[in-house]
Amino acid sequence: MALIKISPIFLLAGLMVYGMELLIAAPIAFFYAVIIAAIVEKYKFEEAMDKGIEAVKEMIMVFFVLMFAYAVAEAFMATGVGASVILIALKLGVTGKTVATVGFIVTCVLSIATGSSWSTFASCAPIFLWLAHIVNGPIVLVIASIAGGSCFGDNIGLISDTTVVSSGLQGVKITDRVRHQGVWSGLLLIISALVIFLVSSTMGLSSVQGDANAAIAAIPNEVFESLAQERPAAVALLNQVESGVPYYMVIPMLAVIALAFMAKPTLICLGAGIILSCVLGLIAGTIGSVSEFLELVLTGFQDAGSISIAMMLWIGAFGGIMSAMHAFEPISKFFLRISKSVRQLMFYNGIFTLIGNAALADEMAQIVTVGPIIREMTHENVEASKENMYKLDLRNATFSDAMGVFGSQLVPWHVYMAFFVTIANTVYPLEQVNAIQVISKNYMAMIAVASILILTITGFDKYIPFFAIPSEPDVKLRKD
């Protein structure tokens, strides 16, 4: 009976591994779960559907946030916010010793501004790889550094779809989630940047400065043609870097981040970013009119509605039915049996998300599949006040996202790695790299995955502001 109840998860995972799009796999798994619920729990079809719809109702605010997030990402890419980040960094000068470190920092910041690791990598790879070529920099280290940096904003950015979805599935506010992991993420950035710089310093690299315009001019036409097919927004951003945009275009991104750390509602944070990018874009001339800008917002809304929101509707309904028939109870009992404390249970939640990401080879599939499981395991097996349970939910949301995004960088067969390696070999055909080479130099991913697991199991997270989770006796396991 337990295997029958959990079989919809196996079906969903199997369809994903087979290569089916999640937007198709999720409805198939949902209707299969309805049939299973009708058989094992004697639900009528209407009752099973109601269980799914009730779960979706709790996610309504997430849908609004997701639409705004996509609109902000579209606006930031088109109005010059992203280009201003790159230009400010390159103004400081780049050498063979610093090209990997600068590329890492730029992609960290740009991924927060765009909310997309894929677009960030596609935009920055041509610039920094050809810069590395000009200054005789370390190509593999540069690729690994900008790959790790591109995932930084995907894990903490307000406009990242993985941030929005992982937070929504755990029932936490995105701004609370950002505050919870903000200091930890900042430390990750600083430590990873130092490690990359120290590694670069031991390689005997050149101290001659390179020029971004020279690097862009060196990019072959066929590279631009390939990028135009893979990521059109990356070409637009490269053109803005080459032509130049005012430095004040970075203000909308800074405003969004500042409002988030002030714990303002997410929609206010994102709305401020949209308004400021429109106003400053009109002043800078990166957009021609308000109607042109509204077209960008419309494109963002359409992109969210066509894929992410539709997918979340099905996944939310699927999770509601699975929860109603207690399908995750066997997994929950196993983790409870091997756990001696709440911290150990949370640690196993992190391990579970990492394994799920490797098995599914897709970070979003892991978030929507494993996310509801670790939430139910926590709520069913832990006795805690509402406030303390919320802190555990924040850690589960961070686990889902961090193990999905950063964990992907350590899995050679993951779709992230396939994309990054393909783009790198396309934009810089002079040196072909493989996934193993990139993984071996991705210090950001290694530090992120190892640190969150170690901090959780040891309790050392208490030394990082806002990042601590409660321990016994404030929380306790239900061993009965």
Side-chain angles (χ1 to χ4, degrees):
M1 187 64 69
L3 287 174
I4 292 174
K5 287 183 177 182
I6 202 69
S7 62
I9 286 289
F10 294 135
L11 175 63
L12 179 61
L15 293 174
M16 291 297 302
V17 172
Y18 182 72
M20 183 176 289
E21 291 290 336
L22 184 58
L23 195 54
I24 300 297
I28 294 174
F30 167 74
F31 284 112
Y32 175 66
V34 170
I35 294 172
I36 295 299
I39 294 173
V40 301
E41 297 291 340
K42 308 303 181 184
Y43 284 134
K44 295 181 180 179
F45 179 79
E46 294 82 1
E47 291 176 330
M49 290 293 293
D50 286 343
K51 295 293 183 182
I53 293 172
E54 286 174 11
V56 171
K57 286 179 180 178
E58 298 178 2
M59 302 172 67
I60 295 298
M61 180 54 69
V62 178
F63 299 149
F64 283 104
V65 171
L66 202 57
M67 285 193 295
F68 266 69
Y70 270 71
V72 171
E74 193 73 26
F76 280 10
M77 287 290 284
T79 59
V81 175
S84 67
V85 173
I86 296 176
L87 288 169
I88 291 172
L90 296 179
K91 188 72 173 178
L92 303 176
V94 177
T95 68
K97 289 183 178 180
T98 62
V99 62
T101 308
V102 173
F104 169 74
I105 295 173
V106 168
T107 48
C108 282
V109 178
L110 187 60
S111 60
I112 293 176
T114 62
S116 170
S117 53
W118 291 35
S119 293
T120 297
F121 186 87
S123 303
C124 290
I127 297 173
F128 286 100
L129 287 177
W130 285 97
L131 263 176
H133 173 79
I134 290 173
V135 299
N136 295 317
I139 298 298
V140 176
L141 181 59
V142 170
I143 295 172
S145 298
I146 62 177
S150 296
C151 291
F152 181 77
D154 232 1
N155 178 239
I156 194 174
L158 283 178
I159 61 176
S160 165
D161 55 355
T162 58
T163 304
V164 174
V165 174
S166 59
S167 300
L169 289 176
Q170 299 300 327
V172 300
K173 294 180 180 178
I174 300 173
T175 49
D176 290 343
R177 152 87 182 281
V178 171
R179 283 170 58 83
H180 170 70
Q181 70 169 96
V183 177
W184 171 72
S185 296
L187 290 173
L188 280 182
L189 193 158
I190 294 170
I191 295 171
S192 300
L194 286 173
V195 171
I196 293 168
F197 179 74
L198 291 174
V199 171
S200 300
S201 299
T202 63
M203 300 175 71
L205 300 169
S206 170
S207 297
V208 178
Q209 286 195 7
D211 179 67
N213 287 331
I216 294 175
I219 300 173
N221 289 331
E222 54 267 26
V223 170
F224 276 103
E225 292 173 2
S226 298
L227 272 180
Q229 294 179 350
E230 292 284 341
R231 275 292 187 274
V235 177
L237 189 144
L238 283 172
N239 291 332
Q240 287 181 342
V241 171
E242 188 173 27
S243 60
V245 297
Y247 294 145
Y248 59 71
M249 286 308 303
V250 77
I251 292 175
M253 183 196 71
L254 298 178
V256 171
I257 296 173
L259 289 171
F261 276 96
M262 292 168 61
K264 300 299 181 184
T266 306
L267 290 181
I268 291 180
C269 300
L270 300 178
I274 291 175
I275 294 171
L276 284 172
S277 62
C278 177
V279 173
L280 295 177
L282 289 170
I283 296 172
T286 53
I287 53 172
S289 64
V290 174
S291 60
E292 179 184 334
F293 180 83
L294 291 177
E295 285 294 324
L296 297 174
V297 175
L298 176 62
T299 300
F301 285 172
Q302 289 173 335
D303 288 345
S306 62
I307 300 177
S308 297
I309 291 179
M311 176 190 68
M312 286 186 65
L313 283 168
W314 287 110
I315 288 296
F318 173 77
I321 294 177
M322 295 295 287
S323 179
M325 60 180 177
H326 305 288
F328 306 130
E329 191 172 53
I331 301 175
S332 177
K333 285 183 176 179
F334 170 74
F335 280 106
L336 182 63
R337 189 162 57 249
I338 63 176
S339 298
K340 304 301 181 183
S341 66
V342 172
R343 280 198 172 274
Q344 287 188 16
L345 179 64
M346 297 302 291
F347 172 80
Y348 290 130
N349 281 353
I351 296 294
F352 189 26
T353 56
L354 187 60
I355 294 173
N357 193 32
L360 295 171
D362 183 278
E363 81 291 345
M364 188 61 79
Q366 175 269 127
I367 289 171
V368 300
T369 303
V370 180
I373 298 177
I374 62 174
R375 174 179 167 80
E376 181 163 316
M377 285 196 305
T378 305
H379 282 251
E380 288 294 321
N381 296 320
V382 177
E383 292 182 10
S385 65
K386 186 176 181 180
E387 179 184 359
N388 284 332
M389 186 62 75
Y390 190 74
K391 291 179 180 178
L392 297 179
D393 288 336
L394 288 171
R395 179 57 55 85
N396 279 333
T398 306
F399 269 143
S400 290
D401 202 348
M403 296 306 185
V405 177
F406 291 127
S408 70
Q409 304 293 286
L410 305 177
V411 180
W413 57 86
H414 201 281
V415 293
Y416 256 45
M417 292 309 301
F419 174 80
F420 288 164
V421 169
T422 299
I423 288 293
N425 289 333
T426 298
V427 302
Y428 188 74
L430 302 184
E431 183 174 341
Q432 298 294 293
V433 300
N434 58 49
I436 299 298
Q437 288 176 296
V438 176
I439 290 172
S440 68
K441 301 292 184 182
N442 197 326
Y443 300 111
M444 170 62 128
M446 297 177 195
I447 295 170
V449 171
S451 66
I452 192 172
L453 290 174
I454 293 171
L455 290 169
T456 298
I457 192 64
T458 61
F460 290 165
D461 53 4
K462 65 184 178 182
Y463 298 114
I464 300 178
F466 311 116
F467 199 55
I469 59 172
S471 300
E472 283 79 1
D474 296 327
V475 293
K476 62 180 181 179
L477 291 176
R478 291 192 181 107
K479 280 297 186 179
D480 55 345

